[in-house]
Amino acid sequence: MDTIFALATAQGRAGVAVIRISGSEAFEVAQVLCGALPGGRAPALRHLRSAGGVVLDHALILKFDGPASFTGEDTVEFHLHGSVAVVAAVLQTLGAGTARMAEPGEFTRRALENNKMDLAQVEGLADLIEAETEAQRQQALRGMSGDLSNRIEEWRSKLIRAAALIEATIDFADEDVPVDVTPEVRDLLGQVRRDVAEQLKGFSAAERIRTGFEVAIVGPPNAGKSTLLNALARREAAITSQIAGTTRDVIEVRMDIAGLPVTLLDTAGLRDGQDEIEAQGIERAIARARDADLRIFLQEPGTSLPISPLDGDIILAPKADERSDDAAAVSGKTGQGIAKLVSDLEMQLLQRTAAAGLITHERHRQAMSQSLSNLDAAMDRVESGPALYDIAAEEIRTAVRSLEVVVGRVDVENLLDEIFASFCLGK
Amino acid sequence: MKQFDVIVIGGGHAGSEAAHAAARMGVNTALVTMKLEGIGVMSCNPAIGGLGKGHLVREIDALDGVMGRVADAAGIQFRLLNRRKGPAVQGPRTQADRQVYQREMQSIMENTPRLSIIVGEVTDFLMQGDRVAGVVLGDGTEIAAKSVILTTGTFLRGVIHIGDTSYSGGRMGDKASSKLAERIDSFGLPLGRLKTGTPPRLDGRTIAWDQLSVQEADDEPVLFSFMSKAPALRQVACGITHTNAKTHDIIRENLERSAMYGGHIDGVGPRYCPSIEDKIVRFADKDSHQIFLEPEGLEDHTVYPNGISTSLPQDVQEDYVHSIAGLEQAKIIQPGYAIEYDYVDPRALNADLSLCDIPGLYLAGQINGTTGYEEAAAQGLVSGLNAARMAQGGDVVHFRRNTSYIGVMIDDLTTRGVTEPYRMFTSRAEFRLSLRADNADQRLTEFGVDLGCVGNARRMSYQTKKEKLENGRALLSGSSYTPKEIAATGIRINQDGTRRTAFQLLAFPDVVFNDVKRLDAALEEMEPEIQEQLSRDALYANYIQRQQQDVEKLRKDEKHAIPSDFSYADVTGLSAELTGKLEKVRPSDLAQAGRIDGMTPAGLALILGRIRFLEKKTA
């Protein structure tokens, strides 16, 4: 197997840059640059030299003996000074030797190949690398540490037990086996069914944590929506003016609320459009607001808009600084009511994520829904008694296979490419 | 020197089926057996069929093989197992009259055109370089052949154990073929060691039958062969008795004297057919085990007590047998024994059962690590057809997992190898709902006709049946009915507005053929056999459609053939462990590679990538 190397940290100037080398010849390849290697997992400082003996950098060297490494192979890490020139020189020197530059995702692919991780864990790692907020980090870490894989293993073994009970009555019909295994099978299938259904329920929340919530600000023109957006974002993301209809397109701002990724949407003021462009903007505003996870309505009490609030939406009166009534209101201009709005938003979002389960990807959801419908069918057949045991067994078999898809035991050829394509080089 | 196309060594279940298959294919075939009476011997229990096994017999029969016909001629207690479960898991079985079975098989062999029976001991192969090109007999006679099939069962270094006594031999009373074993040793094939056991045989006249419960034959016997109509022999019952606390005490006290527990045996025995010692040690909480007392024939007083196979010394066997209800006075005709033997790791075989490294030599039966007459016969058939094909210069005959249990077995053996004597179960077949005993002819007979191994009588009989089935299916699927029309005939149905055909209605578990007859008077005319068959097809139609997607996927992977000289070491990124396994099995296509233990999708992707790369390079 080839020995591969790549920069494991981000491109560009940084304090430290890490180059990782993995493969059966990793130690030899590293020695060419740094001379004698330190002991396993004992860091040591070495001079890295080019083939011509020129010192490239003074680097920290870490050596991992396979299989106790990320990839499962012999691995060496060079912790360099994060200079673009140093990194380029070291990569060039490595490239002139027997090792080759890793393809995107190749380190992880090897970890998968050497059974250091399964697919759900690989996805968790990808999510972790992408994680921007605290909730994302926690969720991704759960995925990478194998929580989902462990649950699936647990369900799988229960289903295999159920299938084995049924198969025993089929294949050993003429021997001393219990004729009716329905009670235990029913129990096992019921347990798994309940768990899978619960995880599926938590999917949309978990997916939101991964991909982010959308919160739309809606209201009539000149209600101060853009001003509110800027206040929440703490920067001038949207142009504000006294002229009604200033915001035409949907403006998006990424932010972190209570550790959750949130995209705040500023939309065109809702009124009968004055021109075609504005009319289109308004149409778009309504569509986006409707699809958003949550809406903040800025409107005068007692008025109505072409879109109505849903359960959990926040309704506030605009321009708190100019009001004399006691309506709940907010002002982006003075900041009045902003703290309360943010805490309301946090409460709403956290409520929605409380149910978040372990499944975070559409791929997981599809596989598990398939499994759930097979389990329903299997339970139905089991209740009809031994006459339909052969069909029940077939349903259980399919249910198990669907679950296995999540951790990547079968059926994943196409998916692999997709997963690995989403990886940055050298991760 | 005499010259044949195919020589089969051994006249057991694998050998007989192999020789007959080769002869049916139209090539000159010789069957070499140590003695004529060795043909068709049932060395273990006198029964054919069962779950999974019955399926194999039906498939052999669908290809015009002999086992089903002979079992029908010798059957004395036909029972369809799992009669109350779905048709996919029903398996025909019969007790067989041992003598009639042997006589019948011998007579068929002797009367098969192009098949010569030679009595003698094969002591060596004729070699032509690396190639096996014939056999040498004990008297020095040399016989040439294009291919040789070895079906020597447990004869390879077979050792029989009764308590602490052991002696070399195949079956009781047969001498083991050690000279041939030496020759095979020189090939350096990967060998392993297995064991199996038999119970003591009892004299039926000394059993108190009147104290025992009995198991009768089915009222409506279901036979093996699609060509048979009714049993030839009188049907008899089996007795049922049980071990008890006293039996268990005797065995427990003498465990050390058992060959197995006394440390005389290294071979691995089957988990599904444990000796009585095993049962008592491993399931210590059970205070009784069931025993079937199976008559070995109508004229034969020997009784086979199924469930108490043993390797205890003879005096202990006497004691524990006498502790069992109804057997207090039973006389042991032949003591039970355990037998250890060498088998060839079947991963050394190709899908046609030829050895990867020894051209011209095929292996079939117990020598490949299987157990059971049916498993042996099915391999005999595969090797016989293929050896004949090779002699004729034709392509390999592939049996696939999605079309036969035979295919499942061959693939399991050659891909995964064995860890215990391999026996067929219905649960091994992932396409179980479509691989049924009832449709074996519809799956395989035409395939056999194309191959040339199916005779005229069967071809025509199947053709007629097929036409009837097609007409019947057209009739059932031709018209659709509204829920209202359907409900009017008394069938309970959701008023969901969906029109359904009679065939679709038969997919509901509670709808039977008589119900749908009320929809169309023409259905009354259909023959009962055709009605039953179509009802069974309809019951699984939805699932078979679903499985079809899996079949398509399998086919897609099977299309990616892996060249025989493919170097796994050249596949970048493949772990050393997988590389080792792949080198051992040498899968013929990507689908087979995927079934290797521990194979990962990433590994498959790498192999596929390499295949594509090589294809591009040569294109």
Side-chain angles (χ1 to χ4, degrees), chain A residues 1-2 100 109-110 112-115 167 169-176 374 381 386-391 393-395 397-398 401 408-413 416, chain B residues 51 81-82 84-86 88-89 272 286 289-290 292 423 425-427 429-430 432-433 509 540 543 546-547 550 553 572-575 578 600-604 606:
Chain A
M1 189 180 319
D2 286 8
R100 67 167 168 82
R109 184 182 273 259
R110 290 190 176 191
L112 185 74
E113 183 60 35
N114 292 321
N115 285 329
E167 296 294 356
T169 69
I170 291 175
D171 269 332
F172 299 93
D174 50 343
E175 292 177 38
D176 259 350
N374 294 132
R381 302 298 184 275
L388 296 184
Y389 272 4
D390 54 346
I391 293 180
E394 172 66 21
E395 295 285 4
R397 195 196 291 256
T398 316
R401 239 182 7 206
R409 289 232 172 79
V410 283
D411 252 29
V412 280
E413 285 79 353
L416 272 177
Chain B
L51 296 161
L81 303 185
N82 277 339
R84 282 166 210 282
K85 299 200 182 84
V89 294
Y272 45 81
K286 275 198 89 172
H289 296 277
Q290 189 170 254
F292 286 96
R423 169 180 153 183
F425 297 110
T426 69
S427 46
E430 62 272 45
R432 178 166 70 186
L433 300 183
Y540 295 113
Y543 289 90
R546 207 165 80 183
Q547 287 193 336
D550 294 340
K553 212 177 289 162
T572 311
L574 209 53
S575 73
L578 272 180
T600 60
L604 282 182
L606 294 173

Side-chain angles (χ1 to χ4, degrees), chain A residues 46-371:
Chain A
R46 293 279 189 275
H47 281 103
L48 297 187
R49 289 170 205 275
S50 73
V54 179
V55 174
L56 301 172
D57 194 12
H58 204 200
L60 186 73
I61 314 290
L62 263 172
K63 175 186 156 211
F64 300 90
D65 292 290
S69 69
F70 173 72
T71 56
E73 305 171 327
D74 287 347
T75 300
V76 177
E77 284 181 9
F78 293 159
H79 293 234
L80 312 168
H81 293 102
S83 134
V84 177
V86 167
V87 169
V90 174
L91 287 178
Q92 197 184 3
T93 309
L94 283 168
T98 53
R100 67 167 168 82
M101 189 79 149
E103 286 161 21
E106 195 169 1
F107 286 95
T108 312
R109 184 182 273 259
R110 290 190 176 191
L112 185 74
E113 183 60 35
N114 292 321
N115 285 329
K116 302 292 284 187
M117 302 177 114
D118 64 34
L119 264 184
Q121 287 174 300
V122 167
E123 282 166 332
L125 173 67
D127 291 344
L128 185 64
I129 290 164
E130 298 285 323
E132 289 172 3
T133 74
E134 177 60 15
Q136 283 180 319
R137 183 191 66 77
Q138 288 177 4
Q139 179 168 294
L141 205 56
R142 277 209 308 263
M144 194 186 74
S145 56
D147 284 8
L148 177 60
S149 314
N150 293 341
R151 288 308 292 278
I152 285 178
E153 196 43 57
E154 178 194 322
W155 296 331
R156 185 170 170 271
S157 59
K158 281 184 181 165
L159 293 182
I160 286 174
R161 164 85 188 153
L165 284 167
I166 290 185
E167 296 294 356
T169 69
I170 291 175
D171 269 332
F172 299 93
D174 50 343
E175 292 177 38
D176 259 350
V177 290
V179 177
D180 186 9
V181 293
T182 308
E184 193 182 345
V185 171
R186 179 194 294 140
D187 201 37
L188 287 163
L189 295 181
Q191 286 171 25
V192 177
R193 199 213 165 274
R194 223 172 17 250
D195 287 358
V196 170
E198 193 179 306
Q199 289 298 333
L200 277 169
K201 238 191 275 166
F203 167 69
S204 71
E207 199 201 23
R208 280 292 163 277
I209 294 177
R210 195 171 70 81
T211 60
F213 288 89
E214 277 192 352
V215 176
I217 308 174
V218 289
N222 240 343
K225 298 182 294 298
S226 301
T227 313
L228 178 61
L229 176 94
N230 289 344
L232 287 168
R234 298 206 185 99
R235 62 187 173 94
E236 295 296 311
I239 301 167
T240 55
S241 80
Q242 291 302 313
I243 306 160
T246 302
T247 305
R248 297 276 170 112
D249 208 343
V250 179
I251 292 168
E252 304 185 5
V253 176
R254 284 287 275 192
M255 53 187 297
D256 178 335
I257 297 179
L260 297 167
V262 172
T263 302
L264 213 53
L265 307 176
D266 180 22
T267 61
L270 304 178
R271 63 169 173 182
D272 292 331
Q274 304 296 299
D275 56 55
E276 200 185 319
I277 297 177
E278 190 188 357
Q280 255 192 39
I282 290 170
E283 219 169 275
R284 203 172 281 185
I286 294 174
R288 281 299 291 276
R290 204 166 267 146
D291 290 344
D293 298 288
L294 195 72
R295 283 146 294 275
I296 302 169
F297 283 82
L298 280 188
Q299 66 184 113
E300 287 299 334
T303 59
S304 75
L305 290 169
I307 170 171
S308 350
L310 298 175
D311 207 24
D313 283 355
I314 296 169
I315 306 157
L316 293 168
K319 302 186 179 170
D321 54 316
E322 293 172 15
R323 311 184 70 88
S324 52
D325 58 1
D326 56 357
V330 68
S331 164
K333 204 152 133 197
T334 63
Q336 196 180 328
I338 293 266
K340 168 87 168 69
L341 171 60
V342 169
S343 94
D344 284 355
L345 264 176
E346 281 185 13
M347 207 182 68
Q348 277 300 330
L349 296 176
L350 287 174
Q351 236 173 41
R352 286 166 199 223
T353 56
L358 295 168
I359 57 169
T360 50
H361 290 244
E362 175 60 17
R363 188 179 74 80
H364 301 168
R365 192 195 63 76
Q366 278 183 13
M368 287 177 57
S369 321
Q370 176 61 49
S371 190

Side-chain angles (χ1 to χ4, degrees), chain B residues 299-540:
Chain B
E299 308 298 326
D300 185 344
H301 297 297
T302 314
V303 166
Y304 185 98
N306 201 345
I308 51 168
S309 81
T310 186
S311 61
L312 284 162
Q314 199 160 350
D315 59 309
V316 183
Q317 295 189 25
E318 302 266 0
D319 284 353
Y320 86 69
V321 164
H322 291 156
S323 74
I324 295 167
L327 306 183
E328 292 86 350
Q329 307 296 325
K331 197 180 135 213
I332 293 182
I333 296 174
Q334 186 191 71
Y337 59 88
I339 175 164
E340 268 191 298
Y341 55 96
D342 278 358
Y343 75 98
V344 175
D345 182 342
R347 286 174 292 184
L349 299 166
N350 296 310
D352 59 357
L353 298 183
S354 65
L355 279 162
C356 302
D357 297 332
I358 320 280
L361 184 57
Y362 295 71
L363 304 183
Q366 210 165 359
I367 194 169
N368 291 339
T370 64
T371 171
Y373 309 145
E374 304 81 359
E375 288 83 352
Q379 291 170 65
L381 176 78
V382 172
S383 63
L385 294 178
N386 275 293
R389 283 283 272 206
M390 199 202 69
Q392 292 165 331
D395 290 338
V396 167
V397 183
H398 267 294
F399 286 84
R400 303 281 185 193
R401 293 189 76 90
N402 58 317
T403 47
S404 65
Y405 274 76
I406 298 177
V408 170
M409 177 177 66
I410 300 290
D411 184 61
D412 282 349
L413 291 175
T414 57
T415 306
R416 297 176 159 264
V418 300
T419 49
E420 63 183 328
Y422 179 96
R423 169 180 153 183
M424 185 46 77
F425 297 110
T426 69
S427 46
R428 292 195 195 274
E430 62 272 45
F431 301 111
R432 178 166 70 186
L433 300 183
S434 39
L435 305 188
R436 305 193 305 273
D438 64 72
N439 67 7
D441 55 346
Q442 293 151 67
R443 290 185 279 121
L444 295 171
T445 299
E446 275 179 345
F447 173 67
V449 169
D450 293 343
L451 275 178
C453 69
V454 171
N456 259 338
R458 184 180 301 266
R459 184 175 57 77
M460 284 158 68
S461 147
Y462 175 68
Q463 197 55 43
T464 314
K465 179 175 173 187
K466 190 186 161 199
E467 276 160 24
K468 286 182 191 164
L469 284 171
E470 277 168 1
N471 293 340
R473 196 170 282 122
L475 201 56
L476 282 170
S477 310
S479 323
S480 63
Y481 308 90
T482 65
K484 220 171 157 188
E485 289 169 312
I486 293 165
T489 67
I491 297 173
R492 282 191 310 159
I493 184 110
N494 277 347
Q495 294 297 319
D496 56 2
T498 313
R499 293 182 72 90
R500 290 185 174 84
T501 64
F503 193 74
Q504 285 168 330
L505 286 173
L506 285 170
F508 294 102
D510 50 346
V511 175
V512 296
F513 204 90
N514 276 339
D515 297 328
V516 302
K517 274 182 187 169
R518 289 190 285 270
L519 287 167
D520 184 350
L523 293 173
E524 285 284 355
E525 309 289 309
M526 207 183 288
E527 288 173 33
E529 187 205 352
I530 302 298
Q531 291 182 10
E532 277 169 37
Q533 187 55 44
L534 290 172
S535 302
R536 287 190 284 251
D537 289 345
L539 182 61
Y540 295 113

Side-chain angles (χ1 to χ4, degrees), chain B residues 109-121:
Chain B
M109 290 295 134
E110 284 174 330
N111 293 302
T112 299
R114 292 179 298 276
L115 176 56
S116 315
I117 296 173
I118 296 167
V119 176
E121 183 184 1

